[in-house]
Amino acid sequence: MLPESYDAIVLGAGGAGLHCAAIAGQRGRHILVIDHANEPGKKILISGGGRCNFTNLGTTPDRFLSANPHFARSALARYTPADFIALVERHRIAWHEKTLGQLFCDGSARQIVAMLMDECAAGSVDLAFGNAITDVTHADARFRVTFGNRTATAPALVIATGGPSIPKIGATDFAYAIARHFRLKLVEPRPALVPLTLGVDELLFKSLSGVSAEVVVRCGKAAFREAALFTHRGLSGPAMLQISSYWRHSQAIDVDFLPDRAPGWLKDAKRARPRTTLQKLLGAALPERLAEVLASRLGLESELANITDARLLAAEQALAAWCFHPSGTEGFAKAEVTAGGISTAELSSKTLESVKLPGLYVIGEAMDVTGWLGGYNFQWAWASGWAAGQAI
Ligand SMILES: Cc1cc2nc3c(=O)[nH]c(=O)nc-3n(C[C@H](O)[C@H](O)[C@H](O)COP(=O)(O)OP(=O)(O)OC[C@H]3O[C@@H](n4cnc5c(N)ncnc54)[C@H](O)[C@@H]3O)c2cc1C
């Protein structure tokens, strides 16, 4: 059978791949999207608790991690949250802002997938789902992709197969295999936006499974004020997922359990209420079980009147920078995203095209650009998809 000829072949029908294909198709390009899954956008469907947190109004380049922190700037500036909102509204999808600029569908994430599929149809994009890609080669300025019993060729190939987080829904490290095949550089991939695990020395906190509190968590220069959740394995909740993207093995993280307290608050409390205990004071601001564990860990169970000012000051400092030593993360099985990936060093920040191998493009999570929790990763998928969609 003769190979089918296209202007570009997009590997991966996630947010980045579908958006890129739709944009290019509507520019009159003849586009094929190939995905091994039997339906598109599986991560979109499970995102945002089924409502898809599709963008964030606070999108700025400093909310993305990458070995080159400036790389995302160009694509993010040319396709903004307002552009995606306009698309969502054109499709009459109702949405709302939940918190911290995070936009969700009122209805279902399915609406976002349906919208992207409608946009692909408007660009006459060909779709091939449910077949493994068995070969990708490049010769005579054309890429050749074999999948199922078909072969397609094109002068442009877009890698949009994402990262390996959540393998049970079909995520793979295929992007890295292609990158290695074409000798593109990789930045060591690692699970990000992932729960952290605690070791045996911090077992006491595991008894708090299910307890959550608003904290400030810090790791190096990164800091987030959001909810933290204790689990039977360690630490989760938005604050911990955020900090996990910055955390590296053997680093400690600091937690401020009472971020709104002014320095000296415990000494002041001792003067005002000498008969009260630290646990009672903490219990007024934090969940009861957490207050109990913290007071017992500090060894301050008697009335404040019996505790020296120096010890109260030390307790205050400990509560403002409680040091945890995570033993690891829950890994790719539980990670919302993969940090690292195909290096940006050899890609054009304007078109996402490889500098070494013209015609090869990388978009979305496959590459070394990772957003914060809260709609940033989809905004990167849309923006990078749009940039490549303009170029292919
Ligand atoms: C549980 C969960 C919730 C999330 N919620 C949010 C959220 O609310 N907001 C947000 O911004 N981000 C969220 N994310 C992150 C977001 O889903 C991803 O960053 C985004 O989907 C990346 O888009 P992508 O197109 O680059 O990759 P993907 O969406 O992963 O798409 C890659 C596509 O490639 C296909 N593929 C993979 N391997 C192969 C192969 N070997 N052959 C052929 N095809 C292949 C896959 O089937 C998939 O369709 C969430 C992630 C998870 C796991």
Side-chain angles (χ1 to χ4, degrees), residues 253-296:
I253 59 169
D254 287 343
V255 173
D256 185 347
F257 283 108
L258 297 160
D260 294 323
R261 294 297 160 104
W265 69 274
L266 264 180
K267 238 167 63 181
D268 294 346
K270 176 177 160 181
R271 307 278 177 271
R273 296 166 63 197
R275 298 275 151 250
T276 196
T277 61
L278 180 63
Q279 185 180 330
K280 275 194 197 135
L281 275 182
L282 293 178
L286 295 168
E288 203 60 51
R289 279 161 67 202
L290 177 58
E292 197 183 319
V293 166
L294 291 174
S296 112

Side-chain angles (χ1 to χ4, degrees), residues 12 14-16 35-36 47-48 53 160-162 166 172 174 336 364-365 375 377-378:
D35 200 298
H36 68 164
S47 69
N53 176 193
T161 51
I166 319 283
T172 70
F174 188 67
E336 265 194 29
E365 201 181 309
N377 285 294
F378 278 132

Side-chain angles (χ1 to χ4, degrees), residues 33-351:
V33 178
I34 308 174
D35 200 298
H36 68 164
N38 48 16
E39 63 170 331
K42 282 193 174 178
K43 273 199 187 159
I44 299 174
L45 295 177
I46 62 165
S47 69
R51 290 225 160 87
C52 186
N53 176 193
F54 56 79
T55 191
N56 194 298
L57 296 175
T59 298
T60 47
D62 60 346
R63 296 183 173 189
F64 294 81
L65 291 80
S66 172
N68 176 358
H70 300 294
F71 185 84
R73 196 172 287 274
S74 169
L76 290 174
R78 285 180 302 135
Y79 192 86
T80 65
D83 292 319
F84 195 75
I85 294 167
L87 180 63
V88 164
E89 291 193 334
R90 227 168 35 245
H91 285 258
R92 300 182 189 286
I93 299 173
W95 56 271
H96 62 280
E97 179 179 350
K98 202 167 167 190
T99 172
L100 302 170
Q102 302 168 2
L103 306 192
F104 287 76
C105 298
D106 288 358
S108 156
R110 283 205 175 274
Q111 295 172 286
I112 299 292
V113 177
M115 174 188 85
L116 294 169
M117 292 296 279
D118 285 351
E119 289 290 311
C120 281
S124 304
V125 172
D126 279 356
L127 304 165
F129 297 155
N131 280 309
I133 298 166
T134 48
D135 198 30
V136 180
T137 57
H138 181 252
D140 303 327
R142 284 188 86 80
F143 293 89
R144 188 184 174 99
V145 181
T146 309
F147 55 105
N149 56 4
R150 291 168 65 182
T151 300
T153 73
L157 180 74
V158 183
I159 304 178
T161 51
S165 50
I166 319 283
K168 73 166 186 248
I169 61 158
T172 70
D173 57 5
F174 188 67
Y176 312 151
I178 303 183
R180 281 191 205 99
H181 177 71
F182 289 123
R183 298 183 195 290
L184 304 191
K185 279 191 197 144
L186 283 179
V187 173
E188 180 66 20
R190 57 181 205 281
L193 300 181
V194 62
L196 296 167
T197 53
L198 290 176
V200 277
D201 53 326
E202 287 164 320
L203 264 181
L204 190 51
F205 284 95
K206 296 188 185 179
S207 68
L208 292 175
S209 184
V211 170
S212 79
E214 188 182 313
V215 303
V216 171
V217 60
R218 296 191 172 83
C219 184
K221 287 186 188 148
F224 294 93
R225 182 176 180 146
E226 284 190 67
L229 170 72
F230 290 94
T231 70
H232 65 290
R233 299 190 63 186
L235 302 166
S236 188
M240 297 303 166
L241 298 182
Q242 296 279 35
I243 212 70
S244 73
S245 301
Y246 291 84
W247 178 81
R248 299 300 175 99
H249 276 275
S250 82
Q251 268 186 314
I253 59 169
D254 287 343
V255 173
D256 185 347
F257 283 108
L258 297 160
D260 294 323
R261 294 297 160 104
W265 69 274
L266 264 180
K267 238 167 63 181
D268 294 346
K270 176 177 160 181
R271 307 278 177 271
R273 296 166 63 197
R275 298 275 151 250
T276 196
T277 61
L278 180 63
Q279 185 180 330
K280 275 194 197 135
L281 275 182
L282 293 178
L286 295 168
E288 203 60 51
R289 279 161 67 202
L290 177 58
E292 197 183 319
V293 166
L294 291 174
S296 112
R297 278 248 156 168
L298 289 167
L300 298 179
E301 273 136 327
S302 67
E303 294 176 350
L304 295 187
N306 302 327
I307 306 173
T308 64
D309 284 357
R311 286 196 74 192
L312 287 179
L313 184 64
E316 205 180 286
Q317 287 164 350
L319 289 164
W322 200 280
C323 193
F324 287 96
H325 296 91
S327 54
T329 74
E330 291 197 24
F332 288 115
K334 293 284 164 63
E336 265 194 29
V337 288
T338 302
I342 299 174
S343 170
T344 60
E346 300 166 337
L347 300 175
S348 154
S349 62
K350 193 148 184 265
T351 60

